[in-house]
Amino acid sequence: MRKNSVKNIRINNEVQRELAELIRGGLKDPRISPLTSVVAVNVAPDLKTCKAYISVLGDEKAQKQTMEGLNSASGFIRSTLARNLNLRNTPVITFILEQSIEYGVEMSAKIDQVIAQIPDRDEEDQDDPEG
């Protein structure tokens, strides 16, 4: 099976959906932040390994605790995935912290700050007697 085959894309989507649902409602670990989302999942073509890219909205402490909680619950997560998905092999999941959403929020705030500092063009046009 090729890496970007239709079957592999479908498996990635199913694992991502189940993983997101499990993190949202199935895990009781208090270390896992409620603002945790599964950004992407990349299952190897042989279905042995899986990289799950996780985004946590919050400070560094919340991100670190969430990753520790997910890593400690990886066995439970894998067994639950095995029950819910009909796969030949259930992949071993590696959780990777993805900070692109946090970076996007930060950049958006910076853009808003710059826009707020720029004076209105309409006001400048009204002050100009030649315009």
Side-chain angles (χ1 to χ4, degrees):
M1 179 168 59
R2 289 178 294 138
K3 186 172 183 164
N4 291 329
S5 69
V6 174
K7 182 178 179 183
N8 196 288
I9 292 170
R10 191 185 84 238
I11 290 172
N12 287 342
N13 290 338
E14 283 295 314
V15 171
Q16 180 177 359
R17 185 182 55 78
E18 283 293 328
L19 196 55
E21 199 170 301
L22 186 60
I23 289 173
R24 183 177 53 242
L27 297 177
K28 305 282 191 259
D29 195 331
R31 295 177 290 182
I32 298 174
S33 170
L35 300 174
T36 302
S37 60
V38 181
V39 177
V41 170
N42 189 1
V43 179
D46 62 356
L47 303 177
K48 301 275 187 201
T49 60
C50 170
K51 292 180 184 177
Y53 297 92
I54 306 295
S55 176
V56 181
L57 196 61
D59 59 352
E60 262 185 56
K61 182 180 176 187
Q63 293 174 351
K64 184 179 178 191
Q65 287 180 340
T66 298
M67 294 308 289
E68 288 173 358
L70 288 173
N71 286 325
S72 70
S74 64
F76 172 75
I77 292 170
R78 185 175 182 211
S79 66
T80 305
L81 281 178
R83 267 185 265 121
N84 295 343
L85 298 176
N86 186 17
L87 296 176
R88 184 173 4 124
N89 297 319
T90 304
V92 176
I93 302 170
T94 304
F95 295 102
I96 300 170
L97 184 62
E98 175 70 37
Q99 297 177 328
S100 63
I101 294 176
E102 182 180 338
Y103 179 75
V105 169
E106 184 180 320
M107 284 293 119
S108 180
K110 287 182 179 182
I111 289 170
D112 290 343
Q113 284 177 350
V114 170
I115 289 174
Q117 293 174 355
I118 297 173
D120 273 347
R121 304 273 301 152
D122 295 337
E123 291 175 11
E124 288 178 7
D125 291 342
Q126 291 174 358
D127 293 342
D128 189 14
E130 293 178 14

